[in-house]
Amino acid sequence: MLIIGIAGGTGCGKTTVVNQIVNELPENEVSVISQDSYYNDTSHLTPDERAAINFDHPQSIDFNLLAEHLTALKQGKTIEQPVYSFITHNRTHETISTRPGKVIIVEGILILTRPKIRELFDIKIYVQTDSDERLIRRLKRDIVERGRDMNEVLERYQNTLKPMHQQFIDPTKEFADLIIPNNSYNDVAVDIVRTIIKERLN
């Protein structure tokens, strides 16, 4: 089994890179795990308390559960991946059964911040994108997909996203085996990753 970690700031294009890699591989050989599924369970909090959580701080992630699940997959076990709702700021009661495949891709902004998670990755990738471009992408996503208004998104970016990126996310570039500039599609870098995967699988 090959476990690949793909990190980078919010709106950097991690999902695009993941899709570019996955689309060239056999469907039954690849599983994708999102860090977003592993936000801490906040059922004990009120909706207002949940909304006030700094979701861009490493403490918002249940890294213990993520490490447990990745270890189980390495052992050939199926896991029940949590499902997170950005509307309610909490996990739902549903899970996604994820079976161990030849390739596991883990993507998320904070996945390289914890040594015990990094140690589980065979390949660590950081997707780097201009901050203005990331803000534009975040605005579009949060307004269209998550029902936020522009002022809310901009305030969160300025007060939370930007400082958390500078403090926790950007420094994790030093742990990456490969940094992919992604202000536009970077086919060469993605081809390199696909080639490495195919060589490992063979």
Side-chain angles (χ1 to χ4, degrees), residues 38-62 84-86 88-91 110 138 148 152 156-157 159-161 164:
Y38 290 85
Y39 281 118
N40 291 316
D41 184 3
T42 57
S43 300
H44 59 291
L45 301 177
T46 66
D48 287 342
E49 288 173 330
R50 291 176 198 162
I53 294 172
N54 181 353
F55 290 100
D56 295 273
H57 193 287
Q59 290 181 345
S60 67
I61 307 296
D62 189 347
Y84 184 81
S85 169
F86 287 95
T88 62
H89 300 293
N90 196 20
R91 292 180 191 172
L110 296 164
R138 180 71 185 231
R148 313 277 196 260
E152 179 186 359
R156 194 173 191 107
Y157 182 85
N159 297 330
T160 304
L161 297 178
M164 292 300 97

Side-chain angles (χ1 to χ4, degrees), residues 86-87 139-148:
F86 287 95
I87 304 300
L139 274 168
K140 290 178 179 178
R141 184 185 69 187
D142 282 8
I143 292 171
V144 174
E145 297 180 15
R146 300 179 182 174
R148 313 277 196 260

Side-chain angles (χ1 to χ4, degrees), residues 159-178:
N159 297 330
T160 304
L161 297 178
K162 185 177 179 179
M164 292 300 97
H165 179 82
Q166 294 171 334
Q167 183 176 354
F168 294 110
I169 301 165
D170 191 59
T172 63
K173 284 187 298 188
E174 70 173 282
F175 303 118
D177 302 305
L178 179 65

Side-chain angles (χ1 to χ4, degrees), residues 15-16 18 22 36 39 45 66 68 84 90 92 113 118 121 126 133 138 152 160 165-166 168 185 201-202:
T15 302
T16 299
V18 169
V22 169
D36 292 348
Y39 281 118
L45 301 177
L66 177 57
E68 179 184 314
Y84 184 81
N90 196 20
T92 68
T113 63
R118 292 198 302 267
F121 297 145
Y126 188 94
E133 181 67 25
R138 180 71 185 231
E152 179 186 359
T160 304
H165 179 82
Q166 294 171 334
F168 294 110
Y185 288 104
L201 291 180
N202 293 330

Side-chain angles (χ1 to χ4, degrees), residues 43-146:
S43 300
H44 59 291
L45 301 177
T46 66
D48 287 342
E49 288 173 330
R50 291 176 198 162
I53 294 172
N54 181 353
F55 290 100
D56 295 273
H57 193 287
Q59 290 181 345
S60 67
I61 307 296
D62 189 347
F63 284 113
N64 289 330
L65 181 60
L66 177 57
E68 179 184 314
H69 279 182
L70 291 177
T71 301
L73 287 167
K74 275 195 167 187
Q75 295 170 347
K77 301 174 183 176
T78 297
I79 64 165
E80 294 298 322
Q81 191 178 161
V83 175
Y84 184 81
S85 169
F86 287 95
I87 304 300
T88 62
H89 300 293
N90 196 20
R91 292 180 191 172
T92 68
H93 297 294
E94 301 173 355
T95 60
I96 298 174
S97 291
T98 304
R99 294 183 296 178
K102 291 185 178 180
V103 181
I104 304 290
I105 296 178
V106 185
E107 65 89 13
I109 63 174
L110 296 164
I111 59 171
L112 297 182
T113 63
R114 289 293 184 265
K116 68 178 180 181
I117 301 297
R118 292 198 302 267
E119 291 169 1
L120 292 168
F121 297 145
D122 299 292
I123 302 173
K124 298 178 289 293
I125 297 171
Y126 188 94
V127 183
Q128 181 167 297
T129 304
D130 177 78
S131 58
D132 290 341
E133 181 67 25
R134 289 191 296 105
L135 173 57
I136 292 168
R137 292 175 183 175
R138 180 71 185 231
L139 274 168
K140 290 178 179 178
R141 184 185 69 187
D142 282 8
I143 292 171
V144 174
E145 297 180 15
R146 300 179 182 174

Side-chain angles (χ1 to χ4, degrees), residues 177-191:
D177 302 305
L178 179 65
I179 296 176
I180 299 180
N182 196 40
N183 292 327
S184 59
Y185 288 104
N186 195 317
D187 293 331
V188 173
V190 172
D191 282 342

